[in-house]
Amino acid sequence: MPYVSSTVRRRQIVLAARVVVDREGLAHASLRAVADEAGIALGTLQHVFKTREALFGAVVEDLLFGQSVAPVPLGGLNQRFGDWLGETLQAVWQHVVRQSAESHLGRLEVTLYAVRTGLTHELARWQDERIRLWAGKTAALAGWSFLIPVDQVARLVMAMIDGLLIQFLADPNPERVSTDLRSAARAIAYVAEAPA
């Protein structure tokens, strides 16, 4: 059997764990199932990850920091924040729905696992990075001014997207989500956008 570096083996196992979580759910993602998916012996997996908690801690980190982020178009100089937000949420949503429902469910399960097992510091760091990306590269560049802090605006937008995603997974109705996104954009802009 050819030698595989520990870095490559670790990545192989984490990717296999993500496949198992997406397919079977976190509750059924045993070390044996992950080893089988990775095509390695259980002992090899346990050499890299001593416990299930260590493995799924690595999965949490990979999901939070390794996932692709939907491209966020910059606001135009004369474009109002509410108009930009409505257009951007529709574009981001199209990126979201191209991913499988199983992938979203797996991500939600792993996020809840992170909260239950005390990995909230990592979740907070991820949220801060998402907020900086949005606020720093978009709102500041467009020159918008807000009635509330820009990081609060970003948190409201992200919470709304996360909530709509859960609703969509429970009842996949694209037309309803599109309408809800437009209404949410108007509501957030009403609360946040300073008068011109």
Side-chain angles (χ1 to χ4, degrees):
M1 180 181 250
Y3 170 77
V4 177
S5 74
S6 59
T7 303
V8 170
R9 180 70 74 200
R10 179 181 173 85
R11 183 75 183 140
Q12 173 191 19
I13 294 169
V14 168
L15 290 175
R18 287 183 59 173
V19 169
V20 172
V21 169
D22 286 356
R23 184 179 61 229
E24 301 176 25
L26 189 60
H28 300 290
S30 66
L31 293 180
R32 166 67 63 202
V34 173
D36 290 346
E37 181 65 34
I40 60 174
L42 180 59
T44 302
L45 184 147
Q46 290 173 319
H47 178 73
V48 178
F49 293 103
K50 304 291 184 213
T51 64
R52 185 176 190 273
E53 290 72 29
L55 171 58
F56 286 103
V59 170
V60 167
E61 184 174 330
D62 186 67
L63 273 173
L64 296 183
F65 300 108
Q67 67 181 315
S68 64
V69 177
V72 178
L74 295 178
L77 289 176
N78 297 319
Q79 188 177 28
R80 293 181 51 89
F81 168 70
D83 296 335
W84 170 86
L85 183 59
E87 292 171 15
T88 298
L89 289 178
Q90 295 294 333
V92 168
W93 190 257
Q94 291 310 308
H95 175 80
V96 167
V97 296
R98 280 194 293 271
Q99 301 169 20
S100 71
E102 291 79 13
S103 175
H104 288 303
L105 287 170
R107 188 172 294 116
L108 288 170
E109 282 188 290
V110 169
T111 302
L112 292 174
Y113 173 85
V115 172
R116 285 187 186 275
T117 57
L119 295 170
T120 50
H121 175 73
E122 292 300 313
L123 286 172
R125 185 163 67 107
W126 178 59
Q127 289 286 12
D128 285 345
E129 286 185 11
R130 289 171 77 192
I131 289 167
R132 271 198 306 279
L133 175 74
W134 184 85
K137 292 188 178 177
T138 303
L141 289 173
W144 292 313
S145 34
F146 295 106
L147 298 171
I148 60 178
V150 69
D151 60 329
Q152 185 177 12
V153 176
R155 284 194 303 273
L156 290 171
V157 170
M158 289 176 209
M160 185 261 308
I161 290 172
D162 291 343
L164 287 174
L165 175 59
I166 292 171
Q167 282 184 348
F168 182 75
L169 291 171
D171 179 19
N173 183 330
E175 293 80 21
R176 185 199 63 228
V177 171
S178 184
T179 301
D180 289 350
L181 283 169
R182 282 192 296 276
S183 297
R186 285 194 301 272
I188 291 171
Y190 178 79
V191 169
E193 190 173 16

